[in-house]
Amino acid sequence: MLFASLVGSLVTVWALVRLWRPTEEDVRRLRSLRRGQELGFRLSELGALVEMSDDARSGIRVTSEMRVRGREKLAEIDERIADLRRMRTALGDVLAAQRLDPAVPRPVVGALA
């Protein structure tokens, strides 16, 4: 019985997927979510950012709670950017070096620590 129920549910979901015709906006939004995930954001974070953006666009006032969450997210983004810059510098140093001194700590490992 469980198997039949599961198959029935899958058939229903597949039928809905086949009926759904995404708009250009749907496709754009899905691509932006995928790109956000590639940049290291969780879906829940992306959902909150999209919600905040949609609220602001629809004329809903940005609440103090939304501002706090937004500032926290900006701080996290700035931190990620700083980490990536350190990593880029370390990798550039390794590639530019003719030879690395074995007595010096590994620059890439140091950038990630």
Side-chain angles (χ1 to χ4, degrees), residues 4 11 15 27 31 38 55 65 84 92 103-104 106 109:
V11 168
V27 172
R31 284 185 179 143
E38 289 170 0
D55 286 352
E65 178 187 338
L84 287 170
V104 175
R106 292 179 176 93
V109 173

Side-chain angles (χ1 to χ4, degrees), residues 10-76:
L10 290 174
V11 168
T12 302
V13 168
W14 181 247
L16 290 173
V17 167
R18 288 181 47 207
L19 291 175
W20 179 56
R21 299 286 186 248
T23 64
E24 284 185 34
E25 175 64 19
D26 293 333
V27 172
R28 188 183 68 73
R29 191 171 279 217
L30 287 171
R31 284 185 179 143
S32 68
L33 291 173
R34 184 180 318 132
R35 182 66 181 135
Q37 286 183 300
E38 289 170 0
L39 292 172
F41 291 97
R42 294 184 306 273
L43 277 178
S44 60
E45 294 174 313
L46 293 168
L49 293 171
V50 167
E51 181 181 359
M52 189 183 313
S53 177
D54 287 349
D55 286 352
R57 289 179 61 205
S58 66
I60 295 174
R61 271 190 90 189
V62 177
T63 65
S64 60
E65 178 187 338
M66 291 168 78
R67 288 186 195 285
V68 167
R69 286 189 323 191
R71 287 187 186 112
E72 288 171 353
K73 187 50 58 190
L74 280 176
E76 288 176 27

